[in-house]
């Protein structure tokens, strides 16, 4: 006798799409979330007259009506488009190295090339060559990885097989000479979480190409609007949900899931679980060690938890133009040495690379009239934050945030005169609200060896499925899609 | 992708080899069990078990309760933050938030200072029934009414009324004890001279520290009183601070409900931009039906039916926050601010209508999907809740 056909642990992106897919298929489902609101990272909070977006800077994979990307197709498939509105962003980004470089790339291949050539006229052939390579790579990637061409070979798809695991830095070096040009083109690294020297070119190329072809998007009302819409559809489809209700244990008998225990001590019987709590938490915190095969323990032990972030949420009493903010997405870097910039993420020194997003540039309704909001994000590992005594936490947090603001003010000097609200989230904040080790926001590291190419994501325990960043790749599109695919696997097993 | 396809990717086997080696030497992560929650608990324990170690009479109507930890150590806080105290009052499990009045310079104890509220359910119980040695639970410190060095600056004006002095007392104690580089001007409104909470300590600190000055305003003064009288007006503020640099200072406002609208309009007249004003949240208003937007045809005493998911039905008065009615029926929700702001009590309304006064902060999409904050939601119709 079970209470539910399936239990979902966690109402992050992966848990929400898994829940909706299951409930729509008539599977009796219970979703349990430790926080008081759905979304995980995909959430918002209110301070004064601002509702701050927590995570979303650029939504990938949407595409347009006429040229839909995979995420739009999935949301259509889930019949969610009627409840949501999306805002298309015009630019990939503006990249700034104060005093040395300032360039804006449109989300359009030809225009991006043109802008780069105008700034770097000596390197026109390298620029053409690089874009040709990225597009050729992604074409072949579609055949090999997405369409799963059974006859894929390194002869038929030479670019894919040669470049997929190459490091991004060496490809930038192959095509470009000027370090500023390499920075301008490669800057997405500081948002993806690995320096170009360790970022597989395959991952970089796909992101760069996908944002150009499918355009970056925002969600009207922020990512909470998406989380709330998904949860609402789930409830309407008959799903049950409890908030303020964490799961503290998964019960396993004879290598099969049989139920869960909540933080309050209630036991709920089920034969199937989709865990959005992450593989780390699931195997370390929720399942007793003796149920996990040696091989899986070693696999987990060999993996590296990825970055967290420091975010400064800014509410300002002026509209973006008045503050000199013209682009929604702005990367600011202090050096062309990306390894050096990356190394600052492991310290409490001023981070040398950051992303500044102003939500009202493309969506003037995002904040109240006459005001705007923005977020500055810098990736950060939790370790140095764990070493400070709790009594010095607040002081450290504000000093660190002040360093980030000082960098921001070099590019946007007027912002400092219009601040109405500021809040700061550190790796410890992400840890508190997500429950993930190190406050990781993208799951494991986005390095080659932690990528899906080397891991199949399936669970050694029957009835256990994984959804979310720790089960594949971080980011909205991948985690939303991972929930649907975990649910589909589960449904196939039920039949 | 099939293994034999993957293996053709250049560099694949080298990484496979690397993974093999790493797995051989892999640490056993199960020793890390419990680490994440231990780290979080250090800063933000979910609940604190507190005991009263001392009770001090401040004025005829105000007392300070010194609270020490029953088990855990007390987490650090920012001067201006509050804790929410849970108690069983006449068999009803309920809670109220109180600002910490002691300095964050030490966390051996938290002081809270409260003032009796006429007919107050909780405050009177605390004032009259709670004794040294009594224990209760609280949330850990929370709230945003604190100095933020990133944009508040060093020139601070505190506008306090009555028990609204408490967060400021913590800030004043911290700044003066630690010799911090901030200038504070406190303008403090009290009913009568002997209602001034912390009167002596304030004047002592002001005489010892050049960066602290205090101006009192007395609403109902005795005949011998020579200082400012009435309310905290633009005139009082101008005469206390002068005309210079008013727009650069940061103004903080904490006091009874009636003070807010009055002081805010005065600050506006003085040309202080909104971004230079910090307002402490306040609990449910004394009379919700007097609030702008309240539907005329509904009175305080009107009663509506509340239906829960398990089929239970009970009645709730329109003039009282839904959370209070739920508590009276033994339903305790998570809560910290009881002012419609922290969102811990966020609940889905399946049918019916509630009134949220302006202070309640509800996310846009929460409004769209019918989520309410019961601590600041008043029933206007029969309700069905997803509880
Ligand atoms: C600052 C920041 C910026 C970002 N920028 C972008 C961006 O621009 N574009 C992009 O695509 N992505 C971005 N991301 C990443 C993206 O938001 C995340 O990778 C994604 O949302 C993770 O989804 P998930 O499904 O893994 O679940 P998570 O969001 O990790 O949620 C997991 C949920 O499980 C719950 N949970 C955990 N343990 C338990 C338990 N034991 N019991 C019950 N519940 C539990 C948690 O409370 C949480 O709600 C950003 C993230 C952050 C924080
Ligand atoms: C963030 C925060 C910090 C606070 N800090 C302090 C503090 O340091 N010291 C302190 O004494 N109080 C403080 N309060 C107020 C406190 O939480 C209670 O509201 C107060 O003690 C009255 O509770 P009660 O149960 O006695 O009154 P209730 O039984 O809840 O209310 C009785 C009547 O009094 C009205 N009322 C409620 N609160 C007040 C008030 N403060 N003044 C006048 N009328 C009121 C109610 O609307 C009602 O009509 C704080 C409130 C908040 C939100």
């Amino acid at each position: 006798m079970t209470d539910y056909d399936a239990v979902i642990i966690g109402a992050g992106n992966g848990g929400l799409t898994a829940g909706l897919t299951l409930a729509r298929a008539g599977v009796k489902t219970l979703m349990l979330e430790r926080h008081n609101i759905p979304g995980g990272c995909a959430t918002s909070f209110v301070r004064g007259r601002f509702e701050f977006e927590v995570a979303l800077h650029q939504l990938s994979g949407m595409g347009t009506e006429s040229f839909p990307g995979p995420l739009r197709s999935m949301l259509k498939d889930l019949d969610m488009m009627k409840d949501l509105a999306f805002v298309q962003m015009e630019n990939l980004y503006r990249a700034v190295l104060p005093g040395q470089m300032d360039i804006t790339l449109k989300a359009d291949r030809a225009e991006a090339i043109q802008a780069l050539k105008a700034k770097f006229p000596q390197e026109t052939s390298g620029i053409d060559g690089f874009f040709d390579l990225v597009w050729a790579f992604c074409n072949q990637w579609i055949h090999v990885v997405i369409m799963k061409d059974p006859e894929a070979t390194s002869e038929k798809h030479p670019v894919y097989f040669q470049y997929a695991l190459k490091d991004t830095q060496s490809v930038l070096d192959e095509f470009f000479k000027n370090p500023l040009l390499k920075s301008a083109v490669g800057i997405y690294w500081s948002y993806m979480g690995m320096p170009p020297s360790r970022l597989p070119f395959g991952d970089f190329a796909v992101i760069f190409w996908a944002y150009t072809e499918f355009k970056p998007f925002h969600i009207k009302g922020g990512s909470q609007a998406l989380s709330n819409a998904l949860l609402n559809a789930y409830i309407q489809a008959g799903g049950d949900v409890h908030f303020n209700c964490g799961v503290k244990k998964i019960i396993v008998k004879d290598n099969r899931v049989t139920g869960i225990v909540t933080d309050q001590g209630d036991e709920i019987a089920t034969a199937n679980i989709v865990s959005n709590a992450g593989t780390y938490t699931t195997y370390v915190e929720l399942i007793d060690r003796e149920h996990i095969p040696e091989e899986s323990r070693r696999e987990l032990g060999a993996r590296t938890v990825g970055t967290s972030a420091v975010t400064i949420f800014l509410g300002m009493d002026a509209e973006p133009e008045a503050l000199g903010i013209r682009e929604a997405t702005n990367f600011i870097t202090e050096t062309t040495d990306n390894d050096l910039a990356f190394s600052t993420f492991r310290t409490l020194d001023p981070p040398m690379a950051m992303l500044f997003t102003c939500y009202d540039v493309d969506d003037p309704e995002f904040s109240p009239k006459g005001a705007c909001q923005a977020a500055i994000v810098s990736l950060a590992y939790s370790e140095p934050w764990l070493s400070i005594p709790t009594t010095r936490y607040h002081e450290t947090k504000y000093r660190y945030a002040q360093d980030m603001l000082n960098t921001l003010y070099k590019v946007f000097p007027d912002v400092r005169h219009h601040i109405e609200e500021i809040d700061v989230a550190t790796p410890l904040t992400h840890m508190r609200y997500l429950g993930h080790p190190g406050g990781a926001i993208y799951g494991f590291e986005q390095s080659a060896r932690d990528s899906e190419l080397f891991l199949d994501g399936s669970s050694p325990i029957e009835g256990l499925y994984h959804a979310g960043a720790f089960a594949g790749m971080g980011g909205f599109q991948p985690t939303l899609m991972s929930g649907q695919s975990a649910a589909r696997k589960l449904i196939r097993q039920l039949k | 992708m099939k293994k034999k396809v993957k293996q053709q990717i250049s560099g694949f086997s080298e990484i496979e080899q690397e993974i093999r080696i790493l797995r051989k030497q892999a640490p056993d992560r199960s020793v890390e069990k419990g680490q994440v929650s231990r780290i979080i608990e250090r800063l933000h324990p979910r609940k604190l078990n507190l005991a009263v170690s001392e009770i001090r009479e401040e004025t005829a109507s105000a007392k300070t309760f010194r609270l020490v930890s029953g088990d855990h150590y007390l987490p650090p806080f920012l001067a201006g933050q509050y804790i929410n105290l849970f108690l069983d009052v006449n068999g009803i499990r309920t809670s109220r938030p109180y600002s910490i009045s002691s300095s964050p310079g030490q966390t051996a104890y938290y002081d809270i200072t409260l003032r009796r509220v006429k007919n107050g359910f909780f405050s009177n119980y605390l004032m009259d029934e709670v004794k040294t040695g009594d224990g209760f639970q609280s949330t850990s410190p929370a709230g945003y009414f604190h100095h933020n060095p990133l944009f508040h600056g060093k020139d601070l004006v505190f506008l306090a009324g009555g028990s609204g002095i408490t967060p400021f007392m913590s800030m004043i104690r911290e700044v003066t004890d630690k010799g911090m580089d901030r200038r504070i001007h406190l303008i403090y409104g009290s009913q009568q001279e002997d209602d001034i909470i912390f009167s002596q300590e304030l004047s002592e600190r002001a005489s010892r520290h050049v960066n602290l000055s205090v101006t009192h305003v007395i609403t109902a003064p005795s005949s011998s009183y020579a200082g400012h009288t009435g309310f905290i007006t633009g005139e009082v503020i101008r005469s206390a601070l002068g005309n210079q640099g008013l727009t650069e200072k940061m103004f903080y406002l904490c006091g009874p409900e009636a003070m807010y609208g009055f002081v805010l309009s005065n600050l506006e007249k003085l040309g202080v931009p909104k971004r230079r004003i910090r307002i402490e949240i306040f609990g449910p208003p004394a009379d919700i039906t007097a609030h702008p937007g309240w539907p005329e045809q509904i009175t305080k005493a009107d009663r509506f039916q509340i239906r829960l998911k398990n089929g239970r039905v009970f009645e709730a008065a329109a003039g009282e926050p839904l959370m209070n009615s739920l508590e009276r029926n033994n339903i305790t929700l998570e809560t910290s601010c009881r002012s419609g702001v922290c969102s811990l009590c966020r609940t889905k309304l399946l049918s019916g209508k509630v009134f949220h006064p302006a202070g309640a902060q509800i996310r846009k999409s929460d409004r769209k999907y019918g989520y309410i904050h019961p601590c600041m939601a008043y029933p206007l119709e029969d309700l069905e809740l997803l509880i």
Side-chain angles (χ1 to χ4, degrees):
Chain A
M1 262 304 282
T2 56
D3 300 312
Y4 283 93
D5 297 336
V7 169
I8 314 247
I9 306 175
N13 284 339
L16 288 167
T17 52
L20 179 56
T21 308
L22 291 174
R24 288 263 176 81
V27 179
K28 193 180 171 207
T29 307
L30 173 66
M31 189 184 294
L32 299 171
E33 166 58 53
R34 53 199 280 287
H35 199 21
N36 63 343
I37 188 155
C41 297
T43 192
S44 67
F45 61 92
V46 182
R47 291 281 181 281
R49 56 178 173 151
F50 297 94
E51 180 175 338
F52 285 118
E53 166 64 50
V54 166
L56 186 59
H57 291 257
Q58 293 196 335
L59 187 64
S60 64
M62 278 306 285
T64 54
E65 277 298 337
S66 50
F67 183 56
L71 182 58
R72 186 183 290 268
S73 304
M74 185 193 84
L75 292 171
K76 265 200 183 135
D77 203 43
L78 290 172
D79 194 25
M80 290 307 301
M81 289 306 285
K82 61 179 192 323
D83 298 331
L84 295 163
F86 295 89
V87 183
Q88 186 179 328
M89 298 157 80
E90 204 188 317
N91 298 315
L92 284 184
Y93 51 73
R94 172 184 177 197
V96 186
L97 202 165
Q100 298 188 53
M101 173 182 73
D102 191 340
I103 184 168
T104 299
L105 300 190
K106 287 241 170 341
D108 177 279
R109 181 178 171 182
E111 289 193 69
I113 290 175
Q114 202 181 10
L116 287 165
K117 285 182 178 171
K119 288 261 174 187
F120 302 97
Q122 284 88 359
E123 306 212 28
T124 53
S125 65
I127 293 168
D128 283 328
F130 184 83
F131 276 80
D132 287 346
L133 178 77
V134 169
W135 263 254
F137 178 90
C138 291
N139 251 315
Q140 298 186 6
W141 169 80
I142 292 173
H143 284 113
V144 180
V145 179
I146 304 298
M147 327 238 288
K148 300 198 171 62
D149 180 349
E151 265 117 57
T153 63
S154 51
E155 283 85 54
K156 231 168 110 185
H157 308 101
V159 184
Y160 176 78
F161 284 97
Q162 196 189 330
Y163 279 92
L165 286 172
K166 240 191 160 132
D167 69 275
T168 304
Q169 189 64 50
S170 67
V171 183
L172 293 168
D173 292 343
E174 183 185 333
F175 286 89
F176 307 131
K177 288 196 196 62
N178 189 333
L180 292 171
L181 174 57
K182 293 178 196 176
S183 256
V185 174
I187 202 100
Y188 266 134
W189 77 264
S190 65
Y191 155 84
M192 298 176 69
M194 283 275 100
S197 60
R198 293 187 55 206
L199 180 65
F201 179 73
D203 290 346
F204 175 81
V206 169
I207 289 260
F208 193 87
W209 168 86
Y211 274 133
T212 310
E213 291 292 328
F214 295 128
K215 316 298 173 196
F217 277 80
H218 276 173
I219 304 170
K220 207 89 179 147
S223 58
Q224 189 70 62
L226 172 65
S227 311
N228 274 351
L230 286 168
L231 186 81
N232 190 56
Y234 165 75
I235 292 172
Q236 279 181 351
D240 283 342
V241 59
H242 293 311
F243 291 101
N244 295 312
C245 184
V247 170
K248 70 173 174 201
K249 191 181 168 89
I250 294 177
I251 309 167
V252 177
K253 280 206 184 85
D254 305 326
N255 200 42
R256 238 223 97 87
V257 160
T258 63
I260 59 98
V261 183
T262 66
D263 281 344
Q264 289 83 0
D266 297 324
E267 208 173 305
I268 293 161
T270 185
N272 298 288
I273 289 172
V274 180
S275 177
N276 186 211
T279 44
Y280 178 98
T281 300
T282 307
Y283 294 127
V284 173
E285 306 286 350
L286 304 183
I287 300 178
D288 286 338
R289 186 175 180 278
E290 75 246 32
H291 298 301
I292 302 167
E294 162 87 18
E295 201 189 326
S296 305
R297 282 208 302 269
R298 289 194 171 278
E299 178 181 319
L300 189 67
R303 304 201 63 183
T304 313
V305 171
T307 61
S308 185
V310 174
T311 304
I312 304 180
F313 305 95
L314 281 168
M316 290 157 289
D317 71 345
E319 291 183 357
E321 310 80 68
L323 300 167
I325 304 171
R326 291 177 311 273
E327 285 82 9
T329 309
N330 304 266
F331 284 100
I332 303 172
T333 174
E334 299 260 46
T335 173
T336 55
D337 181 345
N338 300 321
D339 290 319
L340 173 66
F342 182 74
S343 73
T344 60
F345 300 162
R346 294 196 183 279
T347 70
L348 295 172
D349 296 337
M352 295 180 84
M354 53 198 233
L355 164 60
F356 174 75
T357 300
C358 178
Y359 295 90
D360 297 84
V361 169
D362 292 303
D363 179 7
E365 288 172 8
F366 204 83
S367 305
K369 232 182 148 33
C372 72
Q373 69 157 287
I376 323 172
V377 186
S378 169
L379 297 179
Y381 285 91
S382 64
E383 283 77 12
W385 293 90
L386 299 178
S387 68
I388 46 179
T390 48
T391 46
R392 305 208 36 203
Y393 172 67
H394 292 116
E395 162 195 338
T396 309
K397 165 169 120 169
Y398 286 127
R399 188 195 37 73
Y400 190 94
Q402 186 63 61
D403 286 337
M404 287 172 72
L405 287 171
N406 291 344
T407 305
L408 180 82
Y409 296 153
K410 288 186 201 167
V411 184
F412 299 102
D414 292 333
V415 165
R416 66 172 350 134
H417 306 297
H418 288 277
I419 296 171
E420 181 173 319
E421 298 288 344
I422 291 192
D423 213 338
V424 183
T426 70
L428 293 180
T429 317
H430 292 96
M431 215 174 194
R432 175 184 180 197
Y433 285 108
L434 303 170
H436 296 322
I441 62 172
Y442 297 148
F444 293 107
E445 264 187 2
Q446 317 262 304
S447 63
R449 66 164 192 263
D450 275 307
S451 74
E452 282 163 297
L453 271 180
F454 297 94
L455 299 147
D456 68 358
S458 67
S459 149
I461 295 166
E462 275 178 72
L464 178 62
Y465 303 83
H466 297 288
F470 280 89
M473 214 181 170
F476 276 72
Q477 178 199 347
T479 53
L480 288 163
M481 298 185 70
S482 76
Q484 190 191 36
S485 72
R488 284 178 170 166
K489 263 191 231 162
L490 194 162
I491 293 165
R492 276 199 297 276
Q493 285 302 313
L494 283 180
K495 280 178 185 153
Chain B
M1 222 192 306
K2 291 244 158 43
K3 183 89 187 200
K4 74 171 206 306
V5 179
K6 284 189 204 176
Q7 276 165 334
Q8 300 175 51
I9 303 176
S10 50
F12 189 88
S13 53
E14 286 87 337
I15 294 172
E16 254 192 333
Q17 177 64 14
E18 188 187 327
I19 292 174
R20 257 197 300 278
I21 294 167
L22 277 170
R23 286 192 186 167
K24 237 183 234 146
Q25 307 159 339
D28 189 337
R29 299 274 180 219
S30 44
V31 300
E32 293 167 13
K33 188 171 173 134
Q35 206 174 64
V36 170
S37 52
R38 275 194 299 277
I39 293 165
I40 302 168
E41 282 278 311
R42 263 180 11 202
L43 272 166
H44 300 287
R46 277 200 156 220
K47 285 275 148 62
L48 301 175
N49 289 309
L50 302 172
V52 179
S53 73
E54 201 184 316
I55 301 174
R56 206 168 49 233
E57 191 143 323
E58 301 287 356
T59 67
S61 62
K63 281 182 183 172
T64 292
F65 295 78
R66 179 152 296 181
L67 308 173
V68 296
S69 171
D71 46 11
H72 198 274
Y73 82 113
L74 296 176
F77 67 96
L78 292 164
Q81 288 189 309
Y82 64 84
I83 51 175
N84 190 25
L85 288 189
F86 289 84
L87 265 181
D88 290 305
V89 181
N90 307 337
I92 297 166
R93 177 97 175 141
T94 183
S95 63
R96 296 290 184 274
Y98 294 97
S99 304
I100 301 173
S101 57
S102 51
S103 162
Q106 58 73 39
T107 52
Y109 55 81
Y110 298 154
D111 280 350
I112 58 163
T113 303
L114 66 139
R115 189 161 180 191
R116 193 183 292 280
V117 167
K118 197 169 148 235
N119 299 324
F121 186 65
F122 202 89
S123 60
N124 286 302
Y125 182 86
L126 266 176
M127 295 290 282
D128 300 333
E129 308 291 333
V130 169
K131 301 174 299 295
T132 305
D134 285 359
F136 36 68
Q137 277 201 325
S138 83
T139 59
S140 54
Y144 310 103
F145 193 67
H146 56 75
H147 181 259
N148 184 330
L150 299 173
F151 73 113
H152 286 195
K154 295 182 170 176
D155 215 346
L156 319 177
V157 183
F158 295 165
L159 305 173
S163 67
I165 187 67
T166 51
F168 297 132
M169 203 57 207
S170 179
M171 298 188 212
I172 287 169
R173 284 168 166 161
E174 181 186 34
V175 167
T176 49
D177 285 349
K178 291 190 184 166
M180 295 167 104
D181 179 21
R182 287 177 209 162
R183 286 169 301 284
I184 295 175
H185 199 125
L186 168 71
I187 303 179
Y188 182 16
S190 301
Q191 199 59 28
Q192 295 173 339
E193 291 104 296
D194 56 8
D195 281 330
I196 301 175
I197 309 175
F198 305 121
S199 171
Q200 195 182 345
E201 183 176 340
L202 284 171
S203 45
E204 274 170 22
R205 284 188 187 258
S207 68
R208 270 188 283 124
H209 299 275
V210 287
N211 57 338
L212 172 67
S213 34
V214 177
T215 304
H216 290 289
V217 183
I218 304 294
T219 318
S222 63
S223 53
S224 61
Y225 185 70
H228 290 285
T229 59
F231 295 112
I232 301 178
T233 59
E235 276 314 301
V236 171
I237 294 171
R238 216 201 306 259
S239 86
L241 306 177
N243 276 326
Q244 293 305 304
L246 273 187
T247 57
E248 257 77 272
K249 298 178 197 294
M250 187 60 94
F251 290 82
Y252 298 68
L253 189 51
C254 182
E257 186 196 343
M259 179 179 154
Y260 285 75
F262 183 78
V263 174
L264 283 176
S265 67
N266 276 294
L267 287 175
E268 195 182 339
K269 275 183 222 143
L270 290 175
V272 178
K274 280 212 176 68
R275 65 166 186 276
R276 301 309 291 170
I277 305 171
R278 307 288 113 193
I279 304 172
E280 177 56 316
I281 52 171
F282 43 92
D287 180 7
I288 189 67
T289 63
H291 245 253
W294 180 268
E296 257 173 58
Q297 70 281 10
I298 295 175
T299 70
K300 258 189 202 179
D302 284 345
R303 298 180 76 80
F304 297 105
Q305 291 213 325
I306 313 298
R307 178 182 294 274
L308 307 184
K309 229 183 79 185
N310 63 9
R312 246 186 93 188
V313 179
F314 52 85
E315 281 200 340
E320 186 179 52
L322 190 54
M323 180 172 276
N324 298 28
S325 309
L326 287 165
E327 285 170 346
R328 214 169 293 117
N329 287 279
N330 284 320
I331 294 150
T332 331
L333 301 179
E334 291 277 334
T335 174
S336 167
C337 74
R338 283 189 94 103
S339 304
V341 173
C342 75
S343 157
L344 276 184
C345 63
R346 180 181 179 275
T347 297
K348 189 170 170 76
L349 191 59
L350 294 171
S351 70
K353 218 171 124 188
V354 301
F355 179 77
H356 278 126
Q361 296 181 339
I362 319 280
R363 297 168 179 92
K364 266 187 220 153
S365 57
D366 273 357
R367 282 188 196 275
K368 173 169 169 190
Y369 292 106
Y371 288 88
I372 61 171
H373 294 173
C375 68
M376 272 290 234
Y378 297 78
L380 298 177
E381 293 174 2
D382 290 346
L383 306 178
E384 207 181 339
L385 302 174
L386 188 62
I387 293 182

